[in-house]
Amino acid sequence: MSLFSRLLDYLRGGSDGPELRLAARMNAPLLIVEIGGYAHTTRDWSAGGACIEGFAGETQVGGMLSGHLYWAGDERRLAFTAETMRIEPGGALALRWLDLPLAMQQEMEALVG
């Protein structure tokens, strides 16, 4: 684990406690997260982060990922940066947005209501 990852874990109070989500999670409309040229569907998403399915790339908890976000059927591709929060068996990956485009954040917040 890198020094930066350990520092983030320490500042968060460790990772053994219950997960405390501040934002409501949604699964519709379908959000696509593209990383390294590969498109991943989301299991759920919020203005705080998302869980993607079938991630086969390399990362670790605390690792930074970047790519593009878009709604299924939308032509726009909006750049993002996220932190890897959790890696589940089978390739599910929980992300926390670090740099979410304002347009996407506003759309997500409007959809959550």
Side-chain angles (χ1 to χ4, degrees):
M1 182 181 281
S2 73
L3 178 62
F4 182 71
S5 297
R6 286 188 302 225
L7 177 61
L8 283 175
D9 192 48
Y10 171 78
L11 292 173
R12 283 192 215 109
S15 57
D16 294 333
E19 183 176 357
L20 301 174
R21 292 183 178 172
L22 299 177
R25 296 284 173 152
M26 304 286 291
N27 57 14
L30 183 60
L31 179 67
I32 308 297
V33 178
E34 186 178 290
I35 301 170
Y38 295 97
H40 305 279
T41 58
T42 53
R43 180 168 65 194
D44 57 39
W45 56 263
S46 75
C51 183
I52 63 174
E53 301 284 1
F55 184 74
E58 292 186 27
T59 191
Q60 60 186 12
V61 173
M64 305 299 159
L65 295 171
S66 60
H68 294 91
L69 301 173
Y70 54 96
W71 302 113
D74 193 340
E75 295 295 319
R76 295 175 303 159
R77 301 296 187 262
L78 303 172
F80 77 91
T81 303
E83 177 186 5
T84 303
M85 301 301 292
R86 187 176 66 251
I87 303 170
E88 298 176 4
L93 194 67
L95 302 173
R96 179 175 64 98
W97 309 128
L98 298 176
D99 183 20
L100 182 66
L102 181 59
M104 183 63 76
Q105 180 181 352
Q106 290 172 334
E107 291 172 25
M108 288 177 169
E109 290 172 351
L111 288 164
V112 171

